[in-house]
């Protein structure tokens, strides 16, 4: 009965429209109905995915200075452009406008998938040198619209307030003529730049994680301080060491400067490519622009490029040839390398554009040392050598002399050198005479006096060696000056100003021994020792010498550095945790000529009393400051000690004073019983 009522109440769903026309639902809107609900409100998630028309032109770029070619060479040009520009993203379309003769007009249009790809192409490939006559000029096409809307009436811009730039050579204005040096410590996490004084260093600036490289580097004239990071290199300078310039070269490992500080060379092994040279990059320091990239190829020695003294030329050795480039065009000099076979090594003169190189013996041809003038490539001197195993080239700092250390083969096996010759070229003398001396023992070290005609050699088999000093006469002859027998040393370091020299033993048995000599009369001024010293370096003025123990080489011991006077007096010691290295800040060449320098030396006694008085006052001031500093440290220590004594007395009183029950019900006495020992004894019946 209930089911019948339900069926009666339900409409007849199976009835046709003709049977019940009045029951049909009406879904039409009234005539005055206004729909105020948007599609975003109803289908917001789907409308967000609706494709939108992009009418911007940000993904299109214009490449100018493209070679002009006819139709028969157009496909070849397109392949070259696609190879260069295709690495920034997929090129959707390209257009090469041509004139009525079918020759391209020298500019093209490229469309990338995204605006970001187009922006990367503009940023990276702008200035790309296809060849000497075609350097790409790339701009987004949107620049045309921007510059076409410029107002026709010119209005002068408002002058901006002048903001003085930092003096990049401010450290040279120090009233006491102190020099700076940089140190790295705490396993490379901390870097500091310090003033050098007679008593202790003064920190100029200290930063954590300033560089990611385990070494420090200044530019050749001390203008910039260099830090290396994963993204590239950065230059810092001025009184506050603000960032002057940065160079984006992913994975930078090594850097080098041109002597004129105009160019920076960076090396990265992670981005080397045969298609686009990026392993070695040369940058303009002032503008930050990339000048040219090179492949690393099989180079195993850094720096790969060697610069001429004025920065006009740089050269590299590869496949037995010397490739000399011009820094103005960054192309090969005369568009070809120096055509000599199997060059082993070369070196630029520090004063003229002379290039010295040596060739090994080939069959019946002897070994040769050649002095070449650049850019004419004219041989100005050549010398044949026989029974040669290897050569090393040493230029004197002023370019007056060139010494070639020649390893001689005196045995039939011809496997290694058993004797040495020093071939000395007097470059300034007429016809460039060559004199030589023979050394019949292993040659340990050789060094020129920077501003003189003397040189020193260390030869012999350790631990006792022989040190000899020679002088080159104006006509080119070599004369012996002095011999020191039974010395313990493997390094010979001249002062940058000459005359003074240090003999030292580094990185070996008895490392850290120092002997200071005055070569004007060949007398020993002093001796010293820095136990386990790994490196020794003169400051740029020749007044001070630093020696240090590097954590990178010696894991145990006292890491830090010592500073000595040029006479061998120890001035101060600075111990630092996990000390890495110390690098002195170079000085630019003096603006005084030789006549002015001679006049200053002639009148030196006139100012000697003034200098001595100033030195005494500075010593007294330094002593007073040191005493005040120590007194303050002692006062702080006494205050700290008294505070700890009071704390200890209070703690002792609290622990020794018995606790009393003041009626506090929270304390209850509790007895705890526990078993200490259990013993079982057997009792026998009598």
């Amino acid at each position: 009965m209930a089911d019948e009522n339900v069926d009666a109440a339900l409409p007849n769903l199976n009835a046709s429209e003709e049977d019940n026309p009045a029951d049909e639902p009406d879904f039409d809107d009234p005539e005055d109905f206004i729909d105020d609900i948007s599609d975003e409100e109803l289908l917001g998630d789907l409308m967000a995915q609706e494709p939108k028309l992009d009418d911007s032109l940000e993904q299109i770029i214009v490449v100018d200075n493209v070679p002009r070619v006819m139709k028969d060479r157009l496909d070849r040009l397109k392949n070259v452009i696609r190879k260069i520009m295709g690495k920034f993203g997929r090129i959707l379309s390209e257009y090469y406008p041509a004139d009525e003769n079918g020759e391209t007009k020298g500019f093209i249009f490229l469309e990338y998938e995204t605006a970001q790809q187009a922006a990367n192409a503009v940023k990276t490939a702008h200035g790309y040198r296809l060849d000497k006559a075609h350097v790409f000029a790339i701009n987004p096409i949107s620049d045309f619209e921007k510059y076409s809307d410029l107002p026709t009436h010119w209005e002068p811009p408002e002058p901006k307030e002048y903001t003085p730039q930092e003096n990049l050579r401010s450290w040279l204005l120090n009233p006491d003529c102190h020099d700076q040096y940089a140190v790295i410590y705490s396993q490379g996490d901390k870097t500091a730049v310090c003033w050098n004084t007679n008593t202790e260093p003064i920190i100029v600036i200290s930063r954590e994680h300033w560089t990611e490289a385990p070494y420090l580097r200044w530019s050749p004239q001390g203008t910039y301080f260099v830090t290396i990071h994963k993204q590239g290199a950065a230059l810092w300078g001025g009184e506050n060491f603000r960032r002057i310039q940065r160079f984006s070269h992913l994975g930078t490992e090594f850097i080098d400067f041109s002597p004129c500080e105009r160019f920076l060379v960076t090396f990265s092994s992670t981005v080397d490519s045969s298609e686009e040279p990026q392993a070695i990059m040369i940058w303009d320091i002032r503008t930050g622009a990339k000048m040219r990239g090179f492949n690393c190829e099989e180079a195993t020695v850094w720096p790969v490029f060697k610069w001429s003294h004025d920065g006009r030329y740089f050269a590299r050795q590869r496949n037995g040839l010397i490739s000399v480039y011009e820094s103005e065009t960054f192309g090969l000099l005369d568009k070809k390398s120096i055509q000599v076979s199997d060059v082993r090594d070369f070196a630029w003169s520090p004063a003229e554009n002379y290039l010295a190189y040596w060739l090994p013996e080939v069959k019946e041809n002897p070994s040769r040392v050649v002095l070449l003038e650049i850019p004419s490539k004219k041989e100005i001197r050549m010398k044949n050598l026989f029974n040669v195993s290897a050569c090393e080239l040493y230029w004197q700092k002023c370019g007056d002399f060139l010494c070639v250390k020649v390893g001689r083969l005196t045995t039939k096996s011809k496997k290694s050198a058993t004797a040495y010759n020093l071939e000395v070229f007097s470059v300034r003398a007429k016809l460039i005479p060559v004199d030589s001396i023979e050394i019949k023992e292993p040659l340990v070290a050789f060094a020129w006096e920077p501003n003189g005609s003397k040189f020193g050699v260390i030869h012999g088999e350790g631990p006792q060696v022989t040190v000899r000093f020679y002088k080159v006469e104006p006509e080119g002859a070599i004369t012996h000056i002095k011999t020191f027998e039974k010395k313990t040393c493997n390094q010979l370091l001249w002062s940058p100003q000459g005359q003074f020299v240090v003999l030292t033993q580094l990185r070996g048995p008895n490392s850290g021994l120092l002997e200071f000599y005055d070569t004007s009369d060949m007398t020993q001024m002093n001796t010293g020792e820095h136990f386990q010293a790994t490196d020794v370096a003169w400051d740029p003025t020749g007044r001070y010498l630093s020696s240090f123990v590097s954590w990178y080489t010696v894991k145990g011991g006292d890491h830090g550095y010592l500073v000595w006077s040029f006479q061998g007096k120890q001035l101060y010691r600075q111990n630092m945790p996990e000390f890495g290295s110390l690098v002195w800040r170079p000085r630019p060449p003096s603006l005084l000529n030789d006549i002015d320098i001679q006049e200053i030396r002639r009148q030196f006694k006139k100012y000697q009393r003034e200098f001595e008085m100033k030195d005494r006052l500075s010593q007294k001031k330094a002593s007073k400051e040191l005493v005040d500093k120590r007194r303050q440290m002692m006062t702080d220590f006494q205050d700290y000690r008294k505070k700890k004594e009071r704390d200890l007395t209070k703690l002792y009183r609290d622990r020794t004073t018995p606790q009393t029950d003041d009626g506090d019900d929270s304390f209850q006495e509790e007895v705890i019983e526990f078993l200490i020992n259990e013993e079982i004894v057997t009792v026998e019946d009598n």
Side-chain angles (χ1 to χ4, degrees):
M1 185 66 180
D3 295 338
E4 295 177 0
N5 295 333
V6 171
D7 294 338
L10 291 175
N12 187 2
L13 300 179
N14 297 325
S16 62
E17 295 180 359
E18 291 79 1
D19 295 340
N20 300 301
D23 296 336
E24 180 181 359
D26 185 9
F27 295 101
D28 294 336
D29 294 328
E31 294 183 0
D32 57 348
F33 176 77
I34 299 176
D35 188 2
D36 58 352
I37 301 178
S38 63
D39 293 339
E40 285 75 11
E41 293 183 80
L42 291 175
L43 305 172
D45 53 344
L46 296 178
M47 296 301 295
Q49 303 176 12
E50 180 186 13
K52 298 180 181 179
L53 180 62
D54 185 6
D55 57 353
S56 66
L57 302 177
E58 297 295 333
Q59 66 273 20
I60 302 177
I61 64 173
V62 183
V63 184
D64 203 354
N65 295 334
V66 177
R68 296 188 177 191
V69 297
M70 300 300 291
K71 289 184 178 180
D72 56 340
R73 300 181 59 191
L74 182 58
D75 291 338
R76 183 179 178 183
L77 175 62
K78 288 183 177 181
N79 291 333
V80 173
I81 297 298
R82 291 168 187 164
K83 186 177 181 181
I84 297 173
M85 306 302 297
K87 60 186 178 181
F88 304 107
R90 191 164 70 93
I91 299 176
L92 299 181
S93 62
E94 54 189 3
Y95 177 58
Y96 289 73
D99 57 17
E100 61 276 3
N101 297 325
E103 184 182 18
T104 58
K105 294 185 177 181
F107 60 90
I108 62 175
F109 299 87
L110 300 178
E111 180 183 4
Y112 287 92
E113 281 187 314
T114 64
Q116 182 62 39
Q117 295 174 357
N120 292 338
V122 173
K123 179 180 179 181
T124 307
H126 180 72
Y128 178 84
R129 184 182 297 273
L130 185 63
D131 53 41
K132 189 173 183 179
H134 299 91
V135 180
F136 288 172
I138 305 178
N139 296 280
I141 198 172
S142 58
D143 283 357
F144 289 89
E145 181 179 355
K146 179 175 66 175
Y147 294 122
S148 63
D149 295 337
L150 292 176
T152 57
H153 178 67
W154 179 79
E155 295 182 0
E158 296 182 1
K160 295 183 179 180
E161 184 179 356
Y162 172 72
T163 55
Q165 300 295 322
E166 290 194 39
N167 183 4
L168 297 182
R169 292 187 173 180
S170 58
W171 91 97
L172 298 175
L173 303 178
N174 185 274
D176 296 323
C177 297
H178 291 154
D179 282 291
Q180 289 184 351
Y181 58 82
V183 294
I184 186 170
Y185 57 103
S186 293
Q187 302 185 21
D189 292 338
K190 296 181 179 180
T191 305
V193 178
C194 307
W195 287 110
N196 175 50
T197 67
N198 291 333
T199 55
E200 60 180 354
I202 300 175
I203 296 178
V204 178
I205 187 172
S206 178
R207 294 178 182 174
E208 294 187 0
H209 308 292
W210 198 356
T211 180
E212 298 177 14
Y215 60 89
L216 302 172
R217 183 67 186 271
W218 297 94
S219 60
Q221 298 181 16
T223 307
Y224 307 103
F225 180 64
V226 189
T227 59
I228 298 178
H229 312 271
K230 294 180 180 179
Q231 296 81 7
L235 302 185
W236 310 78
E239 187 175 358
N240 299 317
F241 283 90
R242 66 177 182 87
R243 189 174 65 190
I244 306 299
Q245 193 63 265
R246 60 180 177 179
F247 307 92
S248 179
H249 192 187
L250 187 65
T252 297
E253 301 171 25
F254 302 105
I255 62 100
D256 188 35
F257 282 89
S258 64
C260 57
E261 292 189 344
R262 182 181 173 186
F263 302 106
L264 174 72
V265 186
T266 59
F267 167 75
S268 173
S269 60
T270 61
V271 294
D272 199 6
S273 172
S274 58
E275 299 180 356
E276 175 65 18
Q278 296 183 12
I280 304 173
M281 308 287 283
I282 301 182
W283 311 83
D284 188 297
I285 290 179
R286 295 180 181 178
T287 63
K290 181 183 73 174
M291 307 309 296
R292 184 173 174 180
F294 294 86
N295 289 117
C296 178
E297 298 179 357
E298 298 180 357
T300 57
V301 179
W302 183 260
V304 174
F305 292 104
K306 298 179 181 180
W307 293 82
S308 62
H309 76 287
D310 55 2
R312 290 179 56 192
Y313 307 99
F314 59 98
R316 73 180 299 182
Q317 173 190 344
R318 56 178 180 176
N319 301 325
L321 303 177
I322 300 177
S323 300
V324 181
Y325 299 86
E326 298 178 277
S327 61
E328 290 299 323
T329 62
F330 287 88
L332 279 172
L333 179 64
D334 298 334
K335 299 183 179 180
K336 59 182 179 181
S337 300
I338 298 177
Q339 299 299 318
V340 291
S341 59
D342 201 19
V343 174
R344 292 299 178 87
D345 194 14
F346 72 95
W348 288 95
S349 166
E352 283 86 19
N353 288 330
Y354 294 160
L355 195 66
Y357 63 88
W358 75 277
L359 307 172
E361 297 182 23
V362 179
K363 296 182 180 180
E364 300 300 327
N365 297 325
S367 177
R368 288 187 301 157
V369 176
V370 180
L371 198 58
L372 204 68
E373 196 275 335
I374 299 295
S376 66
K377 298 183 181 179
K378 176 184 176 182
E379 288 189 6
I380 59 177
R381 189 66 165 90
M382 187 270 292
K383 182 175 177 59
N384 292 329
L385 304 171
F386 299 91
N387 298 326
V388 175
S389 64
C391 292
E392 295 182 24
L393 307 174
Y394 298 92
W395 279 98
Q396 189 248 11
K397 181 181 177 181
C398 298
D400 298 337
F401 308 101
L402 169 66
C403 177
V404 182
K405 186 179 80 172
V406 183
R408 298 288 188 184
L409 297 171
T410 58
T411 60
K412 295 183 179 180
S413 62
K414 294 187 177 183
K415 292 184 178 180
S416 60
T418 56
Y420 293 87
N421 271 32
L422 297 179
E423 307 287 340
V424 178
F425 294 68
S426 298
V427 180
R428 308 291 185 192
K430 186 178 181 180
L431 301 178
I432 310 182
V434 181
D435 197 4
S436 64
I437 58 175
E438 183 179 3
I439 299 177
K440 297 182 179 181
E441 293 180 324
L443 194 57
V444 179
F446 172 92
W448 281 105
E449 182 183 19
N451 297 319
S453 58
K454 295 191 289 290
F455 64 88
V457 294
I458 302 176
H459 60 87
E461 298 182 0
Q464 301 292 324
V465 295
T466 301
V467 182
R468 296 181 186 272
F469 290 92
Y470 298 87
K471 182 178 181 180
V472 184
E473 301 297 338
E475 64 276 7
I478 301 175
T479 58
H480 174 256
I481 302 176
K482 185 71 175 180
T483 298
F484 296 99
E485 301 283 353
K486 296 182 180 181
K487 293 295 180 181
T488 304
C489 59
N490 57 12
Q491 296 286 334
L492 188 151
L493 304 171
W494 287 91
S495 165
Q497 303 302 322
Q499 183 178 346
F500 304 105
V501 70
V502 170
L503 304 179
T504 179
Q505 177 81 8
L506 298 177
R507 307 192 183 203
N510 302 318
S511 62
L513 298 176
L514 300 171
E515 298 183 37
F516 296 80
Y517 287 88
D518 184 352
T519 60
S520 62
D521 53 6
M522 289 297 166
T523 58
Q524 185 184 82
M525 298 183 295
N526 208 340
T527 61
E529 182 179 5
H530 187 180
F531 182 64
Q532 294 184 324
T534 57
D535 295 272
V536 172
W538 285 94
D539 84 313
T541 64
R543 297 177 296 173
Y544 304 97
L545 180 83
S546 64
S547 61
F548 61 85
V549 180
S550 174
W551 175 81
Y552 298 132
T553 305
V554 179
K555 297 302 179 182
D558 295 332
H559 300 128
Y561 61 93
L562 294 176
V563 174
W564 311 74
S565 70
F566 72 95
Q567 297 171 325
K569 178 183 177 182
Q570 181 179 325
L571 301 179
Y572 61 87
R573 173 191 292 267
Q574 193 75 10
N575 292 330
M576 307 184 81
E578 291 86 27
F579 178 83
S581 63
L582 180 150
V583 181
W584 291 94
R585 187 171 191 174
R587 284 177 171 261
S590 175
L591 300 178
L592 301 176
N593 54 36
D594 294 339
I595 298 177
D596 295 335
I597 294 176
Q598 292 177 3
E599 182 66 19
I600 292 174
R601 289 178 176 175
R602 189 178 65 84
Q603 297 185 4
F604 180 76
K605 293 183 178 180
K606 176 181 177 182
Y607 304 102
Q608 184 174 2
R609 293 181 180 179
E610 179 182 348
F611 294 153
E612 290 178 351
M613 183 179 298
K614 188 173 182 179
D615 288 341
R616 285 195 295 268
L617 292 176
S618 63
Q619 289 291 342
K620 291 181 179 180
K621 181 180 178 181
S623 301
K624 183 178 182 302
E625 291 178 353
L626 184 61
V627 170
D628 294 342
K629 181 179 178 181
R630 290 179 176 177
R631 285 177 178 174
Q632 184 62 39
M633 292 174 64
M634 179 59 71
T635 302
D636 295 341
F637 172 73
Q638 294 294 347
D639 294 341
Y640 176 79
R641 180 176 181 179
K642 291 179 181 179
K643 180 178 179 300
K644 290 301 179 182
E645 287 178 349
R646 291 194 299 267
D647 295 342
L648 183 61
T649 302
K650 183 177 180 302
L651 181 61
Y652 177 78
R653 188 187 309 114
D654 294 341
R655 290 186 175 183
T656 56
T657 302
Q659 301 292 333
T660 59
D661 186 4
D662 296 333
D664 189 355
D665 296 336
S666 61
F667 293 94
Q668 297 180 359
E669 184 177 355
E670 181 179 357
V671 178
I672 300 176
E673 297 180 357
F674 55 89
L675 179 64
I676 297 177
N677 189 15
E678 180 179 359
E679 183 178 358
I680 301 176
V681 179
T682 304
V683 180
E684 298 180 357
D685 297 334
N686 292 332

